Amino acid sequence: METLIGMTLHELEGVVKAGGMPRFVAKQIADWIYQKRVTSIAEMINISKKNQAWLSENYEIGRTRPVKSSKSQDGTVKYLFDAGGGNRIESVMIPDKDRATLCVSSQAGCKMNCYFCATGKLGFKANLTAAQIMNQILSMPIRGNNAGEAAKGELTNIVFMGMGEPLDNWPEVQKVIEILTAPWGLAWSPKRITVSTVGKLPQLKDLLDKTNVHVAISVHSADLAQRESMMPAQKAFPIQSVMKLLKSYDFSGQRRLSLEYIMWRGVNDDVAHANMLIKLIDGMDCRVNLIRFHRIPGVDLYPASDDRMQMFRNILNEHGVTATIRASRGEDIDAACGMLAAKTPASKK
């Protein structure tokens, strides 16, 4: 049976038309599933019993609860969801003062096969539907578009940095962004959403042209041969081509560009690599996030030392590049960057 969550207003208009309902019912359904977040069609009390019955015969809301959850010492919570077909995916809620960010998965597994990523080791299993992506989001306490600070624990931001390459599932991710930002959906500002990518072209151009969300590019090494050896996507989508595209867009205003850089001991943490990264950036308006590596089985890489990371950051800052060291969150529950694999069910809290 088809699900209602994950549908755009245009798609919902097609549903109500097929059911012989007035067009305005589509907006009522959108309000119920996205703003009021009902879990059953029977809760849509301003829709007639006859229309409710037709909808129930042909559709379901599509909301499912997490199978398991586990909580880190630092307050980070990892959720395990059933994605059907024997696949499971994970999403991670990261609370931080008056913000709460959900790291969302867009695929079960991943095709990119980055050497240092647990998700990549799984291989590709399936693209998630817009419904499955929205289900992760709607399963959390969500702050609406109202003014004022979020209540503690309310979701304020979304990052597509979970399992999978978001732009490899662009049609479904694009629908979710529309639902999150449209007035008939969650009515969020695009500034609350970040899409992380290895730089998959031409979908990256589509993202830049059709949305105003923040963009994060997984660089990890500005040594092109080294990057290709660790990130096979470099061959298909060279980082130099990605940067050339990004330079034609304005990131000095509302939209922000960040470059993600995982640091490995003795691999990409020296002065030479810092200078290569500065050359790659070439004065672009961006922020570099330096990320601690979290060890995964079967990978002979080690995290760079704190001293090396600070040195690297200082070199970038001295050359006019804004760089920060990202705080590591959720490592004790395998929820930190690069650790999501959905292999071992967590204990439910």
Side-chain angles (χ1 to χ4, degrees):
M1 189 176 285
E2 284 193 74
T3 61
L4 293 175
I5 64 166
M7 285 191 179
T8 64
L9 182 61
H10 178 72
E11 289 171 322
L12 290 171
E13 287 172 347
V15 168
V16 301
K17 183 179 180 180
M21 307 174 209
R23 187 176 177 182
F24 69 81
V25 177
K27 192 167 283 188
Q28 291 177 321
I29 295 173
D31 181 64
W32 283 113
I33 60 178
Y34 297 129
Q35 290 288 342
K36 298 183 173 68
R37 297 197 290 150
V38 299
T39 56
S40 72
I41 291 169
E43 294 175 79
M44 302 179 182
I45 56 175
N46 61 349
I47 296 175
S48 72
K49 295 293 184 181
K50 177 185 174 183
N51 289 337
Q52 283 186 26
W54 185 89
L55 287 168
S56 297
E57 287 172 10
N58 296 278
Y59 296 92
E60 60 185 358
I61 299 291
R63 292 279 302 279
T64 60
R65 295 175 62 84
V67 177
K68 299 282 184 181
S69 67
S70 54
K71 189 170 184 178
S72 167
Q73 298 174 52
D74 62 28
T76 299
V77 183
K78 182 172 70 172
Y79 298 92
L80 181 73
F81 291 90
D82 184 357
N87 296 316
R88 297 183 299 186
I89 53 101
E90 292 174 325
S91 52
V92 180
M93 176 71 99
I94 307 165
D96 184 21
K97 298 178 182 176
D98 63 343
R99 292 164 58 102
T101 301
L102 186 68
C103 186
V104 177
S105 291
S106 55
Q107 296 178 311
C110 186
K111 294 178 187 174
M112 299 302 110
N113 194 28
C114 295
Y115 176 67
F116 46 85
C117 178
T119 307
K121 299 300 179 189
L122 297 176
F124 176 70
K125 306 298 182 184
N127 280 325
L128 300 185
T129 64
Q132 290 171 321
I133 299 171
M134 282 303 305
N135 183 62
Q136 297 171 65
I137 297 166
L138 294 173
S139 294
M140 309 296 141
I142 299 178
R143 175 190 176 186
N145 201 36
N146 54 299
E149 292 189 353
K152 188 174 182 180
E154 283 187 330
L155 180 61
T156 62
N157 296 79
I158 299 287
V159 291
F160 286 88
M161 294 183 183
M163 300 174 71
E165 162 57 56
L167 297 189
D168 196 40
N169 189 19
W170 173 233
E172 300 301 299
V173 170
Q174 184 181 10
K175 284 174 62 176
V176 171
I177 293 172
E178 181 181 353
I179 293 164
L180 290 171
T181 58
W184 49 261
L186 271 66
W188 275 20
S189 164
K191 294 186 295 183
R192 295 168 66 176
I193 305 164
T194 301
V195 174
S196 178
T197 174
V198 298
K200 191 172 189 289
L201 304 167
Q203 290 84 354
L204 176 58
K205 186 176 189 309
D206 221 26
L207 171 74
L208 292 165
D209 289 341
K210 295 180 178 178
T211 80
N212 287 307
V213 301
H214 298 317
V215 179
I217 304 295
S218 299
V219 177
H220 308 315
S221 177
D223 180 325
L224 304 184
Q226 184 182 69
R227 188 173 192 267
E228 185 175 329
S229 71
M230 304 180 81
M231 300 177 66
Q234 167 66 17
K235 191 170 184 178
F237 315 111
I239 191 62
Q240 56 271 40
S241 299
V242 172
M243 297 299 283
K244 182 179 179 181
L245 172 66
L246 292 168
K247 285 175 183 176
S248 63
Y249 291 83
D250 181 14
F251 293 100
S252 62
Q254 295 294 306
R255 168 180 271 173
R256 185 175 65 243
L257 172 66
S258 59
L259 306 183
E260 310 295 290
Y261 195 95
I262 297 174
M263 297 193 66
W264 302 289
R265 187 189 312 168
V267 176
N268 66 344
D269 63 345
D270 55 23
V271 174
H273 279 83
N275 288 330
M276 281 189 279
L277 182 57
I278 292 165
K279 185 177 179 181
L280 179 69
I281 293 170
D282 190 27
M284 283 187 66
D285 197 331
C286 67
R287 173 186 295 273
V288 176
N289 289 321
L290 302 178
I291 303 169
R292 301 178 191 281
F293 175 60
H294 305 99
R295 296 210 66 200
I296 60 172
V299 173
D300 58 347
L301 294 170
Y302 298 87
S305 68
D306 289 347
D307 287 346
R308 280 283 189 170
M309 293 188 73
Q310 291 165 11
M311 175 207 71
F312 201 97
R313 177 199 60 197
N314 293 343
I315 292 173
L316 296 181
N317 289 343
E318 287 163 8
H319 284 79
V321 177
T322 301
T324 56
I325 298 172
R326 181 187 290 170
S328 180
R329 301 290 299 271
E331 185 175 5
D332 57 319
I333 56 169
D334 291 341
C337 181
M339 300 183 78
L340 298 185
K343 283 187 173 180
T344 306
S347 298
K348 191 167 185 179
K349 298 290 182 183

